[in-house]
Amino acid sequence: MLETTRMNLRHQPYTLELKHAFGIATSTRTTTPAMLVEVEYEGVVGYGEAAMPPYLGESQQTAAAFFDRATATLREASDPFQLEELLPALDALAPGNTAAKAAIDIALHDWIGKKLGAPWHRIWGLNPAKTPVTSYTIGIDTADMVRQKTREADIYKIIKVKLGRGAESDRMMIETIRAVTDKPITVDANQGWKNREEAVRLIEWLAARNVVFIEQPMPKEQIDDTAWLRSRSALPLIADENVQRLADVKKCHGAFDGVNIKLMKCTGLREAHQMILLARALDLKVMLGCMTETSCAISAAAQLSPLVDWADLDGAVLIKNDCFRGATIVDGKITLPDRPGIGVEKI
Ligand code: MG
C-alpha cells in the first residue's frame, strides 16, 4: 500500500536525443543522459529533472545511487516546505552530484508551487512580462551545417556560438554566420583559448562583428590570465566553468564581468536564486544557462529569468523527444505559462 504520510521520490532514466550533433571545444555528442524524478506527498506530484552531459562527471547510475540515499532523508522530513533545512541535508549526503540534487530541488519547488496554487515567478515577486529573449546555440560544425543552423535560428534575436577549436575554425564559424545574418552573437569559448595575447586580438576581431560578450574564454585554472584579459578585452567576459555554486560567485569578481548560472551546476532553483542576488550585489551581470534539457528543467529556470540580463534557455528546443510542456519561446522571448509550480505538464 502506498504510504501517503511520507514524501515519495521516484526516478527513471531518460535519454535526450539531440536534433543535431552538438560540438563544443572538447567534444561532440548526439544524446544527453538524464533522469526524471517525481516527489509525491499528500496526493500532489512535483516534477524534476537531472540532465548530465558526460564531461561533467555525473551519470544515470550516479544519480540513481544519490536518489536512493536521498529517499531516506526525504521520508524522514516532516514537511516539504522547509527547504532551508531539507536542501542542505540533501547537499550534505555526498559531494558533487549537482544535477541529481537539482532534480530534487526542482521537484520540491514544483510540489510547493502546486500546493500553494502559484507559479514560482509569482512567489518570488517577479513580473512575467519581463522575461528576456533567449539565445539559440550553434555548436562547432562544418560551414554547411552552420549555415543551416543559422537559418533555423530565424525566430531568435541572439545567436550563441561555440568556439575554441583554434583561430581558423573560430573565424570560419563567425564568418559563416555573418554571411547569413547580422543579428547579435554571443560567443562561448568553453575554456578553449589558452594564450591571453591571442585572445585579446581575437576579441577585438569579434567586437567588430557585433559580438555581445565572451563566455569562459580561458581555462578555469587561468583565472589570473582571465583577469589580465578582462582589463584589455573589448567585450565583457562571462564566467561559466569558473562558476558552479554560490561560493564561486565572489571568486569571479574582478576576473569576469558576469556569471552564467545553471541549475544543473548549482543544485537547483534555491541556490540559483541566491547566486543571482549575490551577483547583483557584486555588480556582476547575470546570464541564465542550461544543458540540453527537457521543458521540465528549462521551465524551472525560466521562472527566474525576469531577474537576469541574458538567457540561454534553448535546451528543450535542441532535443527531439521533449516529454514536458512548459515555458515556450515566442518570437525569441521566453514565455512563462500560467500554471503553478515550475509550470509544466507531462506530455
Ligand atoms: Mg558555457
Side-chain angles (χ1 to χ4, degrees), residues 160 162 188 190 215 240-241 260 262:
K160 169 167 164 172
K162 294 288 193 177
D188 187 356
N190 283 112
E215 199 180 317
D240 185 1
E241 284 84 346
N260 184 357
K262 298 177 184 168

Side-chain angles (χ1 to χ4, degrees), residues 135 137 160 162 186-188 190 213-216 237-245 248-249 252 256-263 265-266 272 275-276 279 284-291 308 310-313:
S135 50
T137 304
K160 169 167 164 172
K162 294 288 193 177
T186 72
V187 159
D188 187 356
N190 283 112
F213 63 74
I214 312 291
E215 199 180 317
Q216 197 68 40
L237 306 182
I238 309 298
D240 185 1
E241 284 84 346
N242 265 109
V243 59
Q244 309 282 322
R245 301 197 53 178
D248 300 317
V249 173
C252 292
F256 291 93
D257 299 286
V259 289
N260 184 357
I261 295 169
K262 298 177 184 168
L263 300 188
K265 294 193 296 187
C266 77
M275 290 171 80
I276 294 171
L284 288 163
K285 295 280 188 189
V286 180
M287 171 182 180
L288 198 51
C290 63
M291 312 297 173
V308 307
W310 302 294
D312 177 36
L313 293 177

